[in-house]
Amino acid sequence: NKINDERNARKYLYNLPLKKKRNPKRIFPGAEEHTLDLLYQMLKFNVDERISIKDALEHPYFKQYRDDRKLNDKTAKDEEQKKLQSGNVWLFQDSTLSSK
């Protein structure tokens, strides 16, 4: 069934059972603090409190995939500099993602 309007959405949410917050370290044993931090910021119910895409990509969890050296490159061409300043500088290589 689809929820087609705000009234039905609110009704659905109010009828959900309350659940106690679970300890993330028990759910994801061995996960690093910054991994759990990003996860909780992405899972916040209130969209105004939830992490933005830009901030999520700048989170320490993704540091290994970012080329921060390019962000500070003073000799880049004008168009390249605009890309760098936007924070969209990423290097992707074959690697395995893990929670370690």
Side-chain angles (χ1 to χ4, degrees):
N1 291 344
K2 281 187 174 181
I3 298 174
N4 296 322
D5 59 39
E6 184 177 343
R7 191 180 108 248
N8 285 333
R10 287 182 185 278
K11 182 178 175 183
Y12 173 79
L13 291 173
Y14 285 124
N15 287 314
L16 287 175
L18 292 177
K19 292 193 175 191
K20 188 176 180 180
K21 186 176 179 179
R22 295 173 58 192
N23 183 341
K25 291 181 181 182
R26 295 185 99 182
I27 299 169
F28 305 104
E32 295 180 10
E33 285 297 319
H34 64 267
T35 303
L36 298 174
D37 176 64
L38 178 61
L39 179 64
Y40 268 98
Q41 288 188 54
M42 292 181 353
L43 293 175
K44 287 188 179 182
F45 186 77
N46 184 333
V47 70
D48 295 327
E49 295 176 8
R50 197 175 308 141
I51 192 169
S52 70
I53 293 170
K54 181 181 182 295
D55 289 343
L57 291 173
E58 292 173 357
H59 191 276
Y61 178 81
F62 290 111
K63 184 169 180 55
Q64 65 182 331
Y65 303 105
R66 227 178 10 252
D67 187 356
D68 289 332
R69 294 171 300 173
K70 287 189 177 183
L71 292 173
N72 298 317
D73 185 3
K74 301 289 185 197
T75 62
K77 294 177 186 173
D78 288 344
E79 193 166 308
E80 183 70 12
Q81 189 66 30
K82 288 178 187 176
K83 283 184 195 175
L84 298 175
Q85 290 173 345
S86 73
N88 295 325
V89 181
W90 296 86
L91 290 180
F92 292 93
Q93 300 173 1
D94 289 337
S95 65
T96 302
L97 297 178
S98 70
S99 62
K100 292 182 180 180

